[in-house]
Amino acid sequence: MDHSGHGMDGMNMDLPPFTLGRGLEFGGDPVFLIGCLLGLGLYGWAVIRLRRRGDAWPVGRTVAWALGVVSVALVMCTGLNDYGMAMFSVHMVQHMIISMLSPILLLLGAPVTLALRALPAAGRGRKGPRELLVALLHSRYMRIITHPAFTIPLFIASLYALYFSPLFDFLMESRAGHIGMMVHFLAVGLVFFWPIMGVDPGPHRPGYVMRMLELFAGMPFHAFFGIALMMASEPMVHTFLNPPASLGIDALSDQSAAGGIAWAFSEIPSVVVLIALVFQWYKSEERQSQRADRAADRNGDKDLADYNAYLASLNARGR
């Protein structure tokens, strides 16, 4: 067992130089593999349950969920997971995807809405999975962890407090620590983007302008973090201080590459989320317009008739 900056197991000593083909070979972590298979299986079960009942479920949401799960599997169930233990740049790819791209895709799949529609009601006076989920959504705990005053500092601290303290090295010394860190990255991404995406029901659902402000409040810190890594004149994280000689890389240049990845990646989620928000805003306005049209049809354009009568009365008075 080697703990001297080569990751948590001896196999990293023998890793051949990184190529995309080697990075994408199947392998990696069984915990995430089981989690991904469960995620696809349960979502698929819920969609089939709705269809059999005669209810529709948007294909786009199913595709978004599947892509989200695949993106997690891509970085955690392949050779990228092994290389990420020895190379800062590959680790940063893992971190950025699992904390900023995967959560957005998973949230666009609206899993909470799907669960609420697919799970059966337990019956009067009883509590089943559906009732427990509703209680959780309305709990004080959920209000706290989805509030911007909590999510934005947590999002920022997951970069600075983790990488620039001994905590990162401690977690990277064991497989359990590494898995826990990646689960944390995914969870932080989900709670940060959940109120912003606004697809599933939740305690905080601000207006579209506020959601955009929340999004942009966190992104500059990601860019600054990347710049700090790129500009550093010496390696800043002990875990990646002595990369295995077989990789043929320099620790400082690899750190600089990691910084570039963090900096560039801060823009990608912003664009994806903005497109999703503008689309949601457009659909919301469209629904409101349709509701207004239906109300006018039901009233027989009563408002217009009342207004015309009002104008006629003014005209009569003026004579």
Side-chain angles (χ1 to χ4, degrees):
M1 181 92 52
D2 172 54
H3 294 298
S4 61
H6 298 150
M8 76 230 162
D9 49 47
M11 70 174 181
N12 285 329
M13 293 295 290
D14 304 318
L15 280 174
F18 178 79
T19 64
L20 191 59
R22 287 171 181 151
L24 294 180
E25 283 177 7
F26 180 74
D29 192 81
V31 174
F32 273 92
L33 180 60
I34 293 166
C36 289
L37 291 174
L38 271 175
L40 287 175
L42 290 172
Y43 195 95
W45 168 83
V47 172
I48 291 167
R49 186 178 168 85
L50 285 191
R51 291 278 164 82
R52 282 182 178 163
R53 206 167 64 196
D55 292 342
W57 183 254
V59 174
R61 288 183 177 179
T62 305
V63 171
W65 176 265
L67 288 173
V69 174
V70 167
S71 69
V72 173
L74 189 69
V75 295
M76 294 307 301
C77 304
T78 63
L80 289 177
N81 197 44
D82 297 327
Y83 278 99
M85 295 304 302
M87 294 177 65
F88 202 174
S89 54
V90 177
H91 169 85
M92 194 56 68
V93 170
Q94 286 183 286
H95 180 173
M96 293 297 108
I97 288 176
I98 208 168
S99 70
M100 297 181 76
L101 184 60
S102 303
I104 293 169
L105 292 168
L106 293 172
L107 290 167
L108 286 173
V112 176
T113 303
L114 179 62
L116 290 172
R117 288 180 60 185
L119 289 169
R124 185 173 295 177
R126 300 217 309 267
K127 281 195 173 182
R130 189 180 189 280
E131 288 71 24
L132 292 172
L133 178 58
V134 171
L136 178 64
L137 288 172
H138 290 95
S139 67
R140 179 180 293 176
Y141 167 78
M142 196 58 74
R143 279 201 302 273
I144 292 169
I145 69 160
T146 58
H147 195 281
F150 179 85
T151 60
I152 294 171
L154 180 67
F155 192 69
I156 296 164
S158 289
L159 288 172
Y160 294 89
L162 183 65
Y163 285 96
F164 299 152
S165 78
L167 182 59
F168 182 83
D169 297 318
F170 171 74
L171 291 171
M172 290 290 276
E173 283 181 356
S174 69
R175 187 167 289 280
H178 182 231
I179 293 167
M181 178 165 52
M182 288 300 174
V183 170
H184 167 79
F185 289 152
L186 181 60
V188 168
L190 287 169
V191 297
F192 177 75
F193 288 111
W194 185 11
I196 295 171
M197 300 305 296
V199 179
D200 276 326
H204 291 283
R205 195 55 77 236
Y208 289 98
V209 174
M210 280 305 297
R211 291 186 206 177
M212 290 178 187
L213 290 175
E214 281 183 37
L215 173 67
F216 290 122
M219 290 306 133
F221 292 95
H222 247 274
F224 294 148
F225 170 75
I227 291 167
L229 290 178
M230 282 193 289
M231 300 291 285
S233 57
E234 59 183 37
M236 299 173 75
V237 179
H238 184 263
T239 296
F240 303 111
L241 188 60
N242 301 303
S246 61
L247 286 172
I249 59 169
D250 171 64
L252 188 59
S253 59
D254 188 52
Q255 176 178 283
S256 181
I261 290 162
W263 175 74
F265 219 97
S266 63
E267 303 303 319
I268 297 170
S270 304
V271 173
V272 175
V273 173
L274 270 180
I275 291 169
L277 280 179
V278 169
F279 180 73
Q280 287 173 21
W281 200 344
Y282 166 73
K283 296 297 283 185
S284 173
E285 293 292 322
E286 193 176 50
R287 282 194 298 270
Q288 286 182 359
S289 175
Q290 287 170 352
R291 277 198 292 269
D293 290 344
R294 283 196 297 269
D297 291 341
R298 282 197 303 273
N299 295 337
D301 287 330
K302 185 174 178 299
D303 292 341
L304 184 59
D306 289 346
Y307 184 63
N308 286 336
Y310 170 69
L311 289 178
S313 71
L314 289 179
N315 193 30
R317 263 186 240 156
R319 280 181 179 169

